[in-house]
Amino acid sequence: MTSALRLPAPRVPDPRSAPVLRWGVIAPGGIARTFGRALRARTGQELRAVASRSLDRAQEYQREFDVEVAYGSYEELVADPHVDAVYVASPHSEHLAHAQLALEAGKPVLVEKAFTRTGAEARAVFDTAERAGLFAMEAMWTRFLPHMDVVRQVLEQGLLGEVQVVAADHGQKLYPDGPQRLSDPALAGGALLDLCVYPISFASMVLGEFDSLSATGLLTTEGVDAQEVVTVQNAAGALGLLSASMVSSTPTTASISGTRARLEFTGAFYGQSTMTLLSPHDEVLDVLEPSDREHGLHHEIVEVAACVDARLLESPLLPWAETLRVMDAMDAVREQIGFRLPGE
């Protein structure tokens, strides 16, 4: 290694130092369980309530995570005066209704990614939050991980020179034998909202606004997207090469290439991955290993707690405009590959 370039240290707060919120969880499925494990293991936050349309399912989650109360309806949860914030973990098709239900009941919300089905629905949620004077945020947990703070510093300091190319892929073999919701257009299934949201959000964080977007993809027999390749370009001419698939497993790696250096992510780039800084001649300049590979969602949880405590409506790390930019990009992808949601 040379001493020419070094990666900065991450600047993330101690998750246990955040103000404590009493959380309510809507829809106790798989991602809600990941949320519960991270909250319990890495934060001082409280799980006050869980709600499902099936009281039995809510009670299963209650027992697993020692939640204070379980409800058989979402209306009961948002009416609970002891719930400070609501985590919406339902399928994409329900995010708009459930986020607005919580906001109209006076509860700030963290809404699982993708934030909604469409950009129009995302705007409706943020309009409701603004009218109510309440915090709302997309649960794009990647944005709050320590190594993504390092990426922000690298870009701010210009360590890579002028960024030229961003590449990211996310493929998991989830179809046809995975969760049924991924096959169902009525539940906004497909690879785009579950998987491609990660590469698109990553590219948006690095490149900023997209001046152009081009997409090609393949639909399943049910009419949802099986996989897609997306290329984007910003005003400076930098390119994003992005892909996702739910019919094959891919390396899930990413890279940011500049005129001075390249940053590579090994392992799942969207999780607690290893970052390597390389020279234009592939000389390894620095390596950053994650301190925790087991959990990740706790960073977004405590970001919500800090923002709610500060009476903010949006997170400075993931403002509403950024979520809207990603949602609009995914709308453009759907249009170009011919994926129509019910009612469109």
Side-chain angles (χ1 to χ4, degrees):
M1 292 189 183
T2 75
S3 59
L5 293 176
R6 285 288 183 270
L7 292 170
R11 309 161 299 182
V12 293
D14 177 356
R16 295 192 180 276
S17 68
V20 176
L21 296 182
R22 296 168 296 182
W23 287 85
V25 175
I26 282 180
I31 191 62
R33 282 178 158 74
T34 302
F35 176 93
R37 286 191 290 272
L39 184 149
R40 285 292 189 219
R42 295 290 187 268
T43 81
Q45 304 293 301
E46 296 180 11
L47 279 172
R48 156 67 189 177
V50 58
S52 172
R53 288 173 296 184
S54 162
L55 182 58
D56 287 345
R57 289 191 68 211
Q59 289 172 335
E60 287 177 12
Y61 189 94
Q62 179 187 25
R63 289 189 293 270
E64 182 175 352
F65 295 103
D66 193 25
V67 182
E68 193 168 344
V69 60
Y71 293 116
S73 77
Y74 305 134
E75 290 78 9
E76 289 177 288
L77 182 143
V78 300
D80 186 333
H82 302 292
V83 169
D84 299 319
V86 172
Y87 171 54
V88 175
S90 49
H92 305 119
S93 55
E94 311 306 311
H95 287 183
L96 171 62
H98 293 160
Q100 290 189 319
L101 179 71
L103 289 164
E104 289 167 358
K107 310 296 187 186
V109 292
L110 173 66
V111 183
E112 191 49 54
K113 49 85 194 113
F115 189 67
T116 50
R117 299 185 310 162
T118 68
E121 289 185 352
R123 285 175 173 83
V125 172
F126 291 139
D127 286 347
T128 302
E130 187 170 30
R131 287 195 303 270
L134 291 168
F135 179 85
M137 191 181 85
E138 178 188 14
M140 176 47 74
W141 60 288
T142 300
R143 291 290 188 105
F144 307 96
L145 295 174
H147 74 290
M148 288 301 170
D149 178 68
V150 174
V151 172
R152 283 188 287 268
Q153 293 184 68
V154 164
L155 297 173
E156 290 164 3
Q157 296 171 21
L159 296 184
L160 303 182
E162 296 180 12
V163 173
Q164 300 296 311
V165 179
V166 175
D169 84 278
H170 189 182
Q172 297 185 37
K173 195 171 188 326
L174 300 172
Y175 176 88
D177 300 320
Q180 187 276 333
R181 67 176 181 83
L182 291 176
S183 304
D184 192 344
L187 296 178
L192 180 64
L193 295 181
D194 256 79
L195 302 176
C196 202
V197 63
Y198 286 102
I200 291 174
S201 183
F202 178 70
S204 181
M205 185 184 82
V206 176
L207 297 177
E209 186 173 356
F210 303 148
D211 265 23
S212 65
L213 180 150
S214 179
T216 184
L218 174 71
L219 303 185
T220 69
T221 55
E222 296 90 351
V224 301
D225 61 301
Q227 55 189 4
E228 52 267 322
V229 174
V230 182
T231 59
V232 297
Q233 187 172 32
N234 68 9
L239 297 174
L241 308 175
L242 319 170
S243 64
S245 174
M246 68 175 188
V247 294
S248 64
S249 177
T250 68
T252 67
T253 55
S255 62
I256 307 171
S257 301
T259 53
R260 190 182 181 197
R262 181 173 81 252
L263 196 56
E264 290 189 351
F265 302 73
T266 53
F269 80 90
Y270 53 87
Q272 306 269 44
S273 59
T274 299
M275 288 198 312
T276 304
L277 183 67
L278 299 108
S279 77
H281 306 292
D282 290 335
E283 177 189 9
V284 174
L285 303 176
D286 203 0
V287 177
L288 179 67
E289 297 283 357
S291 59
D292 180 1
R293 292 186 183 271
E294 185 178 359
H295 295 283
L297 271 64
H298 54 293
H299 294 290
E300 70 176 4
I301 294 170
V302 299
E303 173 70 7
V304 175
C307 289
V308 169
D309 184 69
R311 301 185 182 277
L312 301 178
L313 299 190
E314 53 190 307
S315 165
L317 296 181
L318 185 55
W320 295 351
E322 178 66 357
T323 290
L324 291 173
R325 183 159 67 202
V326 172
M327 293 306 309
D328 288 344
M330 291 195 294
D331 282 350
V333 173
R334 286 194 303 104
E335 177 67 25
Q336 292 186 29
I337 68 175
F339 174 19
R340 302 288 182 266
L341 293 167
E344 288 188 322

